[in-house]
Amino acid sequence: MEGEPMETDRTEQDDSEQYFEIGATVISGLEMFARDECQEKLKCKAEIGRGRIYFNIAKDKLHSIVTLQAVNNLFVLVNKDKNKELDLYGKKDSTLEYLKELVTHQDWSVPLAAWKEFTKSSHHLERPQDGTKNQCDNLPIFRVTCTRSSKEGRKHEFSSQEAASATGGRINDIFGWPVKMKDFDMEISVDINDTKVVLGINLTSESLHRRNITHFGPTTLQSTIAYCMLRMSCPQVGDIICDPMCGGSSIPIEGARTWASCYFLSGDNVEIATEKSEGNITAIEEKRKLNNKGSLHLDVFQWDVTNLPLRSNSVDVFITDLPFGKRMGSKLNNWELYRRGLTEMARVCKPGTGRAVLLTQDKKCMARVLKMTNHLWRKKYLQFIRMGGLTAGMYSLTRVGRAAQDGRSHCRHVLINSCRQSSTSSCTDSIINRQTDQYMS
């Protein structure tokens, strides 16, 4: 069922209604989260490809595709035979000529209509027949980008740049649109995966993973990955969710915007990280204020993950992006950090119902630490993803064992300085050990 709308939807819609086939790029390994979200929000089935999902959507629902939070970029599909096996390992000249013919024999009318509807463009898309100046001046400026991958042991005779140049030249021959690599109106993408070609017109001008972040750090987590980690944790109404190594607070911000019935805590031991978190949250709050939306249920603190100033058995979910030991920290230090961090999270997390979703590329260290803490945490699920050229693991854990003894943290440096005054401060007070006398003196 290649992206066909659900049968229940088809009976409600006029049979003559126009549908567009949409593609969306996804972090490799997170396709199933994007597929499930597509079904929940848009009520349409999605087909999974490598690093992509495809689905059909009615014209009147086209603009709702931007509500998808697990996808990076959106495009409308041009070629309907995206799964067709092609001979792309022949000689360079003949293969590039084949790509040109592929462009020529496509029906561009429907995808161009989708692009024009989505972007509200007033450009004249057809080649001017009489060469009048008005029509020529109103043509869209376009560019073509190509991504390419081949099977191990095989190699295409052409480069990505040569493929983009060949297809772009043929599109220029067909429509007469001018080409420009910067300040363009339309971007056409060519994705070549071994022997398959996907030709599309991009609908988003920049990746959706940047939606929440204005203050970036060296290892800022993409909002799309943060959303999938949150979905993996299955947030429930009233859950207290904590990111103890928040960085720029990608996870808490995404969670607070999406699951308003939960309360989010975030913290880091590096002062610059909490400053970036405060900047990101402030920027989001200003946008929400303009749209007459309430404040996020979110507070930021400075703390040490191995000695959290939180009451025992007070947090429902821990979600965090652990240091990989490459750009931040080191793999040698990870052995002790992971062990002490998971032990402290277990103390604060509610046994039985508590859970954690942890992201790391240091899989060897994580496997050893989980074995050492198997009386506290049980691995429920492991999903591998590709990010930044690395293979990382998303670990879904459940808290097992007995409740921890309640007691005050002996953390020496606690920042009880929320980035803003919020109506949820009473919730924060109930789960944080405020050693007022110690810090006032």
Side-chain angles (χ1 to χ4, degrees):
M1 303 297 291
E2 297 183 2
E4 293 276 339
M6 288 183 172
E7 292 184 5
T8 53
D9 289 342
R10 189 177 289 279
T11 57
E12 296 172 3
Q13 301 289 345
D14 185 355
D15 289 337
S16 63
E17 187 173 20
Q18 188 174 21
Y19 281 84
F20 302 123
E21 187 169 7
I22 304 298
T25 61
V26 188
I27 292 291
S28 182
L30 300 180
E31 296 90 349
M32 60 181 180
F33 294 98
R35 176 200 61 194
D36 295 344
E37 183 193 15
C38 183
Q39 184 166 328
E40 290 174 13
K41 291 183 177 179
L42 305 182
K43 308 302 180 186
C44 59
K45 292 183 179 179
E47 173 192 357
I48 290 180
R50 181 184 176 186
R52 284 167 170 74
I53 62 168
Y54 304 97
F55 56 93
N56 285 355
I57 194 163
K59 180 179 179 180
D60 63 343
K61 295 182 179 179
L62 180 61
H63 288 275
S64 64
I65 63 177
V66 295
T67 62
L68 296 177
Q69 294 171 263
V71 305
N72 287 334
N73 294 284
L74 295 158
F75 60 93
V76 57
L77 207 66
V78 175
N79 60 322
K80 302 301 180 183
D81 53 351
K82 61 182 182 296
N83 293 319
K84 184 179 179 180
E85 299 279 347
L86 306 174
D87 182 14
L88 300 178
Y89 287 102
K91 292 183 178 181
K92 180 170 71 173
D93 291 342
S94 60
T95 305
L96 293 178
E97 190 62 34
Y98 188 83
L99 291 176
K100 292 179 183 179
E101 291 301 312
L102 182 68
V103 171
T104 303
H105 292 99
Q106 301 304 319
D107 179 7
W108 288 80
S109 60
V110 174
L112 286 175
W115 177 82
K116 197 166 186 176
E117 171 69 22
F118 187 84
T119 61
K120 301 300 181 183
S121 171
S122 59
H123 288 100
H124 184 79
L125 299 179
E126 296 181 0
R127 172 182 275 278
Q129 298 300 320
D130 55 5
T132 58
K133 189 175 187 303
N134 286 341
Q135 287 186 333
C136 292
D137 288 346
N138 199 32
L139 293 176
I141 300 171
F142 84 105
R143 79 169 184 180
V144 177
T145 56
C146 176
T147 56
R148 184 175 53 87
S149 61
S150 57
K151 277 188 176 180
E152 188 175 353
R154 303 192 72 182
K155 184 179 179 181
H156 296 124
E157 294 295 325
F158 58 92
S159 66
S160 299
Q161 186 175 359
E162 288 171 332
S165 178
T167 53
R170 182 53 56 92
I171 292 169
N172 177 262
D173 293 339
I174 296 172
F175 297 102
W177 301 334
V179 180
K180 198 173 182 181
M181 298 309 293
K182 294 183 178 180
D183 300 323
F184 51 86
D185 303 306
M186 179 191 300
E187 183 174 30
I188 296 171
S189 60
V190 181
D191 177 64
I192 300 174
N193 181 16
D194 189 28
T195 59
K196 298 178 181 179
V197 178
V198 175
L199 188 63
I201 304 175
N202 288 357
L203 299 177
T204 48
S205 58
E206 66 175 3
S207 178
L208 300 177
H209 79 262
R210 297 174 176 270
R211 57 180 170 262
N212 296 330
I213 307 301
T214 55
H215 296 70
F216 289 87
T219 58
T220 301
L221 187 68
Q222 296 183 15
S223 296
T224 48
I225 300 177
Y227 174 77
C228 292
M229 292 178 69
L230 286 154
R231 279 186 69 97
M232 183 181 273
S233 73
C234 301
Q236 305 296 313
V237 174
D239 273 354
I240 296 172
I241 302 175
C242 178
D243 182 353
M245 292 181 278
C246 67
S249 287
S250 296
I251 295 172
I253 291 173
E254 188 70 22
R257 291 181 66 242
T258 309
W259 286 273
S261 60
C262 299
Y263 179 73
F264 290 83
L265 289 172
S266 63
D268 206 291
N269 68 329
V270 181
E271 186 175 356
I272 192 172
T274 56
E275 290 174 356
K276 289 183 182 296
S277 293
E278 183 175 352
N280 289 326
I281 295 171
T282 300
I284 291 290
E285 293 283 25
E286 289 175 354
K287 291 181 182 179
R288 292 176 67 87
K289 188 175 181 180
L290 291 175
N291 295 324
N292 296 318
K293 294 182 179 180
S295 297
L296 298 174
H297 297 167
L298 166 63
D299 281 301
V300 181
F301 304 89
Q302 186 171 338
W303 57 34
D304 180 359
V305 66
T306 65
N307 202 0
L308 295 170
L310 303 175
R311 297 184 188 278
S312 299
N313 317 311
S314 61
V315 170
D316 297 284
V317 185
F318 278 98
I319 307 178
T320 196
D321 176 16
L322 296 168
F324 287 11
K326 291 187 177 292
R327 292 185 185 177
M328 296 292 288
S330 69
K331 292 204 171 188
L332 180 63
N333 293 336
N334 281 352
W335 293 99
E336 187 67 9
L337 175 65
Y338 284 19
R339 182 188 65 81
R340 293 179 62 190
L342 262 69
T343 301
E344 181 66 355
M345 282 187 257
R347 178 188 70 80
V348 178
C349 194
K350 296 178 180 178
T353 59
R355 50 211 185 273
V357 175
L358 309 176
L359 175 67
T360 181
Q361 189 267 338
D362 197 348
K363 299 177 285 295
K364 182 179 179 181
C365 177
M366 192 65 177
R368 181 177 174 180
V369 170
L370 286 176
K371 187 175 181 180
M372 296 170 62
T373 59
N374 60 4
H375 61 294
L376 301 173
W377 296 105
R378 179 172 298 142
K379 184 174 72 175
K380 180 180 178 183
Y381 185 70
L382 171 59
Q383 177 65 45
F384 291 109
I385 66 173
R386 290 286 294 175
M387 52 182 296
L390 302 173
T391 299
M394 281 171 47
Y395 294 78
S396 176
L397 311 177
T398 54
R399 173 72 167 89
V400 295
R402 295 180 299 175
Q405 290 289 327
D406 195 13
R408 292 183 179 272
S409 165
H410 297 288
C411 178
R412 293 185 177 181
H413 185 62
V414 182
L415 179 65
I416 309 298
N417 178 21
S418 173
C419 65
R420 71 198 186 290
Q421 292 295 326
S422 71
S423 59
T424 55
S425 59
S426 58
C427 177
T428 310
D429 292 346
S430 67
I431 58 178
I432 293 182
N433 290 320
R434 287 181 178 263
Q435 299 176 337
T436 308
D437 295 338
Q438 176 181 348
Y439 298 112
M440 289 293 288
S441 58

